[in-house]
Amino acid sequence: MSEKHIEIVATLYKARKIVRYLYPDSYVDHCRNWQETIKKVAAGLQISELEAVVDILAKSADESGSAYTAIWVMAAYVEMVEPSA
């Protein structure tokens, strides 16, 4: 794994840590909603779930609230691949 890959993974995990801390009461529901979106995008475009995350992030980059969307999408993806305890 390259240094760039490690930085990306660290960012994903940091996103999860932040939203779990900031939104403890709504964290599970928000993640579940974003996971459904990630899966729908992946299925619709016939791509992997990680590619769907990248697609969602790219499309939301120009929108208002994109940082909010980005952090939730990243956290939801981490929960998909490695659920928290």
Side-chain angles (χ1 to χ4, degrees), residues 38-85:
I38 292 167
K39 290 175 184 177
K40 286 179 185 176
V41 169
L45 297 175
Q46 296 182 333
I47 57 177
S48 72
E49 291 168 346
L50 181 56
E51 290 170 315
V53 168
V54 173
D55 186 71
I56 293 166
L57 295 177
K59 288 178 179 172
S60 71
D62 295 331
E63 298 175 9
S64 174
S66 65
Y68 181 81
T69 297
I71 199 166
W72 276 108
V73 170
M74 290 187 286
Y77 179 73
V78 171
E79 284 293 334
M80 290 172 75
V81 296
E82 188 175 326
S84 56

